């Protein structure tokens, strides 16, 4: 069961939240401060509109308050003996059959709407096999965790945007941007049980970089000479350089991958690449672009 709460932060009931906090907090001054924050209102066109329900999205206290609200949901699911995972207002519950899922979905939805005074988004909530549902960019299939297909596609599009075909940016600037993004992205998705998914993104990054390197050779003759200089056999270099293939197709040929193997992106320092020598010191620290 994939449960989505409709306009969760906008629908938090102030009275229920303060009462819930009052069960654990005896200091009335703190409760009063939280109440003032919740009811401070929002300014629209210079006019302050009071807030009768909801919490400010992006406010430093809102994530904590939202977890206090949904702690009741966690306790209810634990009381029912259900397996679940929740992050903020995104919640997945796991059961063994379709029939059980539909029954639990109905009961949990009633609890959320009647007890917590929130609303379940029926359009976005669903009952489905776990490998058909994504949670925070992941999906669960046969007991294993994998990166969701949509998250992988978004990553491929991000690589394309960071390494465009035509750009005035230097290769050093491009690599700096791709590093900043990929280090964070790969650390987040490192939970996957399929390292090949990360390898797929890394391979796509390397291919786009090879395409960029091919494009730096303005003439076919220069590309041929560069490939030979990098140890590609004459016949293989000639077949690739003087073919009718464009830069993207050339980036995946044996000649180009031999000239710029995976190890080149890790150990570039000391290589004598005419237009790339100034980048050697930079590439040497980019050891994340590797695929065993």
């Amino acid at each position: 069961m994939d449960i989505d709460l409709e306009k969760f932060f906008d629908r938090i009931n102030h009275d229920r939240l303060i009462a819930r906090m009052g069960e654990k907090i005896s200091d009335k001054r703190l409760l009063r401060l939280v109440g003032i924050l919740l009811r401070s209102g929002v300014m629209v066109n210079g006019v302050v509109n009071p807030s009768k329900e909801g919490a400010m999205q992006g406010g430093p206290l809102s994530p904590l308050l939202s977890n206090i609200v949904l702690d009741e949901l966690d306790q209810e699911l634990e009381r029912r003996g259900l397996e679940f995972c929740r992050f903020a207002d995104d919640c997945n519950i796991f059961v063994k059959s379709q029939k059980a899922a539909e029954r639990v979905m109905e009961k949990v939805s009633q609890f959320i709407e009647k007890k917590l005074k929130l609303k379940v988004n029926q359009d976005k909530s669903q009952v489905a096999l776990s490998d058909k549902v994504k949670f925070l960019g992941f999906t669960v299939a046969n007991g294993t965790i994998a990166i969701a297909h949509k998250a992988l596609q978004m990553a491929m599009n991000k690589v394309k945007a960071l390494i465009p075909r035509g750009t005035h940016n230097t290769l050093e600037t491009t690599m700096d941007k791709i590093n900043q993004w990929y280090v964070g992205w790969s650390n987040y998705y490192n939970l996957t049980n399929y390292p090949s998914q990360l390898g797929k993104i890394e391979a796509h990054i390397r291919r786009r970089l090879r395409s960029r390197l091919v494009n730096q050779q303005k003439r076919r003759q220069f590309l041929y000479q560069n490939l030979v200089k990098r140890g590609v056999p004459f016949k293989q270099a000639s077949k690739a350089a003087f073919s009718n293939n464009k830069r993207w197709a050339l980036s995946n040929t044996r000649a180009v991958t031999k000239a710029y193997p995976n190890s080149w992106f890790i150990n570039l320092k000391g290589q004598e690449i005419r237009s790339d020598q100034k980048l050697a010191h930079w590439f040497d620290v980019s050891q994340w672009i590797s695929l065993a």
Side-chain angles (χ1 to χ4, degrees):
M1 287 157 290
D2 181 19
I3 297 179
D4 181 80
L5 300 181
E6 184 176 322
K7 297 181 180 180
F8 168 67
F9 283 95
D10 296 336
R11 294 180 181 273
I12 292 177
N13 186 286
H14 294 169
D15 294 334
R16 288 200 78 263
L17 174 57
I18 296 298
R20 180 71 173 169
M21 294 178 64
E23 296 175 3
K24 300 289 185 179
I25 301 172
S26 59
D27 192 339
K28 302 300 182 182
R29 296 172 301 173
L30 178 58
L31 297 176
R32 182 172 178 273
L33 283 174
V34 174
I36 291 173
L37 175 66
L38 291 172
R39 298 182 177 92
S40 60
V42 294
M43 182 175 288
V44 180
N45 297 326
V47 179
V48 177
N49 298 315
S51 301
K52 296 183 179 180
E53 63 177 1
M56 294 181 295
Q57 291 195 46
L61 196 58
S62 294
L64 175 60
L65 295 178
S66 67
N67 273 328
I68 293 175
V69 171
L70 294 177
D71 181 61
E72 288 184 80
L73 174 61
D74 295 344
Q75 292 186 20
E76 177 66 15
L77 297 179
E78 289 176 354
R79 186 184 68 81
R80 292 172 178 264
L82 296 170
E83 300 288 342
F84 70 96
C85 53
R86 181 183 65 79
F87 182 84
D89 59 334
D90 195 0
C91 180
N92 280 183
I93 305 172
F94 303 92
V95 293
K96 294 182 178 180
S97 69
Q98 177 83 11
K99 186 176 181 180
E102 292 172 353
R103 183 182 66 254
V104 173
M105 174 67 88
E106 181 181 357
K107 296 296 184 182
V108 171
S109 296
Q110 290 176 0
F111 175 84
I112 291 173
E113 296 186 348
K114 293 182 179 180
K115 184 73 181 290
L116 303 184
K117 307 301 181 184
L118 299 171
K119 185 173 178 59
V120 175
N121 190 329
Q122 299 297 338
D123 294 332
K124 294 184 178 180
S125 299
Q126 62 175 322
V127 171
L129 294 175
S130 61
D131 59 352
K132 304 297 182 183
V133 176
K134 67 181 183 69
F135 180 73
L136 303 178
F138 290 95
T139 187
V140 179
N142 299 321
T144 59
I145 300 174
I147 304 173
H149 175 74
K150 186 176 180 180
L152 282 175
Q153 190 58 51
M154 290 176 65
M156 298 287 273
N157 294 336
K158 183 68 174 181
V159 171
K160 185 177 180 180
L162 291 173
I163 314 177
R165 291 197 174 190
T167 177
H168 64 279
N169 292 328
T170 63
L171 193 60
E172 183 177 23
T173 300
T174 300
M175 288 294 296
D176 189 33
K177 290 181 178 180
I178 200 73
N179 254 319
Q180 291 176 8
W181 166 77
Y182 185 72
V183 169
W185 189 90
S186 60
N187 283 337
Y188 176 80
Y189 284 104
N190 197 40
L191 286 173
T192 179
N193 295 131
Y194 300 93
S196 60
Q197 291 186 304
L198 297 176
K200 181 179 180 180
I201 302 300
E202 294 170 4
H204 188 56
I205 291 172
R206 286 191 297 269
R207 184 174 180 184
R208 292 197 70 87
L209 291 173
R210 290 188 184 107
S211 176
R212 177 83 179 270
L213 291 167
V214 168
N215 193 55
Q216 287 181 342
Q217 311 303 318
K218 300 301 181 182
R219 301 174 114 184
R220 296 280 176 159
Q221 181 67 26
F222 294 160
L223 175 60
Y224 167 76
Q225 293 174 356
N226 189 50
L227 292 176
V228 171
K229 186 176 181 179
R230 294 200 52 76
V232 180
F234 294 101
K235 187 175 181 180
Q236 194 177 57
S238 176
K239 183 179 179 180
F242 297 110
S243 67
N244 291 324
N245 291 333
K246 302 297 183 181
R247 55 183 287 189
W248 182 246
L250 284 170
S251 67
N252 201 38
T253 59
R254 289 186 177 183
V256 174
T257 54
K258 183 177 179 64
Y260 301 102
N262 296 353
S263 58
W264 183 83
F265 293 96
I266 303 173
N267 304 311
L268 184 61
K269 189 172 184 179
Q271 306 253 357
E272 296 182 359
I273 304 299
R274 184 171 62 254
S275 61
D276 301 327
Q277 271 188 324
K278 61 182 180 180
L279 306 181
H281 70 286
W282 196 93
F283 271 93
D284 189 52
V285 299
S286 303
Q287 297 193 14
W288 54 265
I289 308 184
S290 61
L291 179 59

